[in-house]
Every structure is written in C-alpha cells, then in structure tokens.
C-alpha cells in the first residue's frame, strides 16, 4: 500500500512538471513598469564561383558580405524610444583583379515617440540618424583617386514631427516639416572639388588657392518616411523602407529619394537567403566619367550630373541572433 501511494505521488509530480506553462498562473505584466528589449543579429554571406577546364569560359571569383544589426527599445506607458545600429561591409575578389568593395555602411539612428493615450495611433515624434562608410571608395578599375571616404560623405538628419503606426514596430509613417540635414566632407581633395554638394574651392587665374572648399553643408527641409515589415509566408519576410526629402532654401521641390526593399528567406534558425533592391537619388551627388583628353592625353573627369543610383543584392549565408 505504501509503495502504491509513493508511485501515485511520483506519477502526479511527473505529469504536472511535463505540462506547458499555460497551466500555471503567470504574473500579469505591469504596464507602468519600464520595459527594455534588445535584439542583435550578425550575418555572413559568401558566394564563390570556380572553373576548371570549363569550355564556356569564366572568371573565378569569391565574395563575402558581413553585417551586424542591433536594435534597442525602451517602452514606458505611452512613451517609446528605439535605437538602431546597422553595419555592413562586403568584398569581392576575381582572378587577376584586386579586392573590390561591394558594400559599405555604418548607420546609427534613434527615434522618440509619445502619444496621448493608448487609443490613438498618432505619435509626437523626434528622429536622429547618422550615416557614413568605413573604407575608401573608388571608381574601379581606377584606384588612384578616392571618390569617397570615412566621413566623406557623412550624413546627419535631425528633426521632429508626427508619426502614425498602429503596430509601430512593424508599420509607421513619419512626417517632419522641419528636418536638418547636414552633409560632412572631411577630406581636403573631395571638399575642394565640391563633392556631395558642398561649396567647392576657389582659385585665381594662375591656379592658386583663394578659398578652400567647405567641409560642412546644412539644409533645412521636409522629410517623409514610410517603413513596413511583415511575414508573407512562414519562412518569407519582407522589409520596405522609403524616404523623401526636399530642402526649403537651396532647391525646394527637388526631392532626394531613398527606397530599399528586402526579402528574407529563412531556411532554418541559422541559414537564410536575402534578395534586395536599393534605389537612391540625390541631386547633390554628381556622377563623373573618366575620359582622356585627346590633346594632352591626360586623364580628366567629366561631370555627368546627378543620376539614379541602384544596387541589387542576392546572397545566401548564415545568421546568428544574440
């Protein structure tokens, strides 16, 4: 009899311990307590092509792209604070060619939002963002003249406005009637050339420098952004971001466009594929074409004006969340 009681108690304990957490009474979440959340994602994409006695021909190549995305969120009652760090760097190597950069980005952004009550989806919002790159950029195959560097350019946006988001971490629309855009060109050669919209240097008739090029350019204008993220299917997610900016003072109505759309295909918790498109237009970023002067036989650069910039990305790699 004693053994039967002991066995019965053992089975009860085993059964109870195996039940899901939903059978227990969980403490209610106090909405008046501040909540911090942090997600970090690191990824590595590698693509490689090799040929051995391939009659159709081809060039051996290998490319790699490493990325880091860190999101920190603070939420308390009707107040939300989001901060994001995004870093990417990619390289490509083909036989008989030097390493070439395929991607380069360092971006820090932060936004504050406050709403009157939990019944409304409208927020009073303020935003800050800073963007630059890690390494020098070149117009390949010419690697003797840099066309961009760290903090050349660097972009800073700071402004305030209103934001709508029913589920603000998945969908939001932001409008700011007053946004300060600051462009930094902390390189003497690029600033003297007037790159990225800064005032170029002035020279006399003999080519002597009268005034150096500006290192900082400030604009004040309107900013409109839209961000959307959703799960299309069980293992397919889409992220879409659009930004439109026009300056009041210098060229009102000339809109800078930044549109990025990314599809994430999740194989499992560690393997994913990415297909993305990034389109940009900035009237301050002029495209230059390298030409050879037939009279002097010297290399010169011809200004072609602003052009639509487009980048397409397709990669398969590993991802780790921590």
């Amino acid at each position: 009899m004693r053994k039967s009681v002991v066995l019965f108690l053992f089975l009860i304990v085993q059964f109870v311990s195996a039940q899901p957490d939903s059978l227990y009474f969980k403490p209610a979440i106090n909405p008046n307590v501040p909540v911090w959340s942090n997600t970090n994602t690191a990824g590595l994409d590698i693509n490689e092509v090799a040929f051995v006695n391939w009659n159709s021909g081809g060039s051996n190549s290998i490319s790699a792209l490493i990325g880091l995305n860190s999101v920190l969120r603070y939420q308390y009652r009707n107040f939300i604070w989001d901060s994001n760090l995004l870093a990417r760097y990619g390289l490509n190597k083909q036989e008989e060619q030097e390493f070439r950069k395929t991607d380069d980005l360092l971006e820090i952004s932060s936004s504050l939002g406050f709403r009157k009550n939990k019944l409304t989806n409208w927020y009073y919002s303020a935003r800050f963002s800073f963007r630059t790159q890690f390494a020098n950029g070149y117009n390949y195959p010419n690697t003797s003249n840099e066309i961009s560097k760290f903090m050349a350019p660097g972009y800073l946006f700071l402004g305030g406005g209103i934001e709508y988001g029913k589920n603000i971490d998945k969908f939001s629309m932001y409008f700011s009637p007053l946004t300060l855009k600051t462009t930094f060109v902390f390189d003497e050669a690029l600033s003297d050339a007037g790159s990225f919209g800064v005032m170029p240097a002035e020279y006399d008739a003999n080519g002597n420098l009268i005034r150096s090029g500006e290192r900082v350019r400030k604009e004040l204008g309107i900013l409109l952004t839209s961000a959307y993220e959703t799960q299309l299917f069980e293992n397919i997610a889409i992220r879409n971001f659009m930004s439109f900016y026009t300056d009041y003072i210098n060229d009102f109505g000339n809109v800078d466009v930044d549109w990025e759309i990314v599809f994430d295909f999740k194989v499992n918790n560690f393997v994913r594929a990415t297909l993305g498109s990034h389109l940009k237009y900035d009237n301050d970023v002029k495209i230059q074409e390298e030409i050879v002067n037939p009279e002097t036989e010297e290399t010169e650069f011809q200004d072609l004006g602003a052009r639509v910039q487009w980048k397409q990305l397709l990669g398969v790699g590993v991802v780790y969340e921590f």
Side-chain angles (χ1 to χ4, degrees):
M1 181 64 179
R2 184 178 301 174
K3 292 182 179 179
S4 299
V5 173
V6 173
L7 179 60
F8 178 75
L9 293 175
F10 175 80
L11 291 175
I12 291 178
V13 173
Q14 186 71 13
F15 176 80
V16 172
S17 62
Q19 299 309 301
D21 293 341
S22 59
L23 295 181
Y24 294 95
F25 292 100
K26 294 183 178 181
I29 298 176
N30 188 351
N32 296 321
V33 175
V35 178
W36 287 93
S37 62
N38 176 235
T39 58
N40 303 288
T41 304
L44 175 64
D45 296 341
I46 297 179
N47 298 307
E48 187 263 349
V49 179
F51 301 91
V52 177
N53 300 324
W54 193 255
N55 61 357
S56 298
S59 177
N60 298 337
S61 67
I62 184 171
S63 61
L65 173 66
I66 186 171
L68 173 66
N69 187 19
S70 178
V71 179
L72 178 64
R73 162 170 279 211
Y74 172 83
Q75 189 168 1
Y76 179 60
R77 295 182 179 175
N78 298 321
F79 176 79
I80 295 177
W81 177 26
D82 282 331
S83 296
N84 182 272
L85 169 65
L86 179 61
R88 293 198 307 264
Y89 191 78
L91 287 173
N92 174 267
K93 177 69 172 71
Q94 295 188 10
E95 56 182 344
E96 300 178 358
Q97 289 185 355
E98 71 281 1
F99 279 99
R100 296 186 176 185
K101 185 172 63 172
T102 58
D103 201 354
D104 191 357
L105 175 66
L106 173 61
E107 183 174 16
I108 302 172
S109 60
S110 184
S111 64
L112 300 173
F114 176 79
R115 58 181 176 176
K116 293 182 178 179
N117 53 64
K118 295 187 179 301
L119 299 178
T120 180
N121 297 317
W122 290 95
Y123 292 79
Y124 300 104
S125 186
R127 288 193 175 186
F128 159 85
S129 67
F130 171 76
R131 183 174 70 250
T132 186
Q133 62 191 54
F134 290 100
N136 296 346
Y138 301 94
N139 188 14
Y140 296 106
N142 181 8
T143 58
S144 58
N145 297 313
E146 300 87 355
I147 62 174
S148 61
K149 291 183 175 182
F150 176 75
M151 288 300 295
Y155 297 102
L156 184 146
F157 289 86
L158 179 63
I162 57 175
E163 184 172 9
Y164 175 85
K166 187 173 182 179
N167 188 2
I168 199 168
D169 58 336
K170 299 295 182 182
F171 168 77
S172 68
M173 293 190 65
Y174 170 75
F175 172 74
S176 171
L178 290 175
T179 292
L180 174 67
K181 176 186 176 182
T182 306
T183 304
F184 304 95
V185 185
F186 290 164
D187 179 78
E188 183 177 359
L190 293 174
S191 64
D192 287 347
S195 300
F196 311 108
V198 299
M199 188 68 67
E202 291 185 5
Y203 301 89
D204 60 17
N206 298 322
N208 299 315
L209 180 65
I210 300 176
R211 182 184 58 82
S212 299
E214 292 184 350
R215 302 295 182 96
V216 179
R217 182 173 190 255
K218 294 182 179 180
E219 302 173 69
L220 184 65
I222 301 173
L223 177 65
L224 175 65
T225 69
S226 174
Y228 178 65
E229 179 179 346
T230 188
Q231 198 78 20
L232 293 179
F233 301 100
E234 182 179 358
N235 293 329
I236 302 178
I238 182 175
R239 291 179 285 113
N240 183 70
F241 175 79
M242 301 184 70
S243 172
F244 305 93
Y245 180 83
T246 184
D247 178 35
Y248 283 120
I249 303 172
N250 299 308
D251 196 0
F252 183 75
N254 193 345
V255 181
D256 297 340
V257 180
D258 192 337
W259 178 26
E260 185 174 15
I261 181 170
V262 178
F263 291 88
D264 284 327
F265 304 90
K266 183 178 180 181
V267 179
N268 53 44
N269 291 334
F270 300 100
V271 180
R272 63 98 189 266
T274 302
L275 174 63
S277 171
H278 195 176
L279 184 146
K280 296 173 65 177
Y281 176 82
D282 189 339
N283 191 58
D284 297 327
V285 179
K286 311 299 183 182
I287 304 300
Q288 292 185 334
E289 181 183 24
E290 187 175 341
I291 60 174
V292 177
N293 192 320
E295 298 180 357
T296 62
E297 296 185 353
E298 295 181 353
T299 301
E300 298 179 355
F301 291 92
Q302 180 181 3
D303 193 351
L304 302 179
R307 292 289 189 272
V308 174
Q309 307 170 55
W310 182 66
K311 180 177 67 175
Q312 183 267 332
L313 173 66
L314 175 62
V316 178
V318 296
V319 62
Y320 176 68
E321 295 184 357
F322 58 97

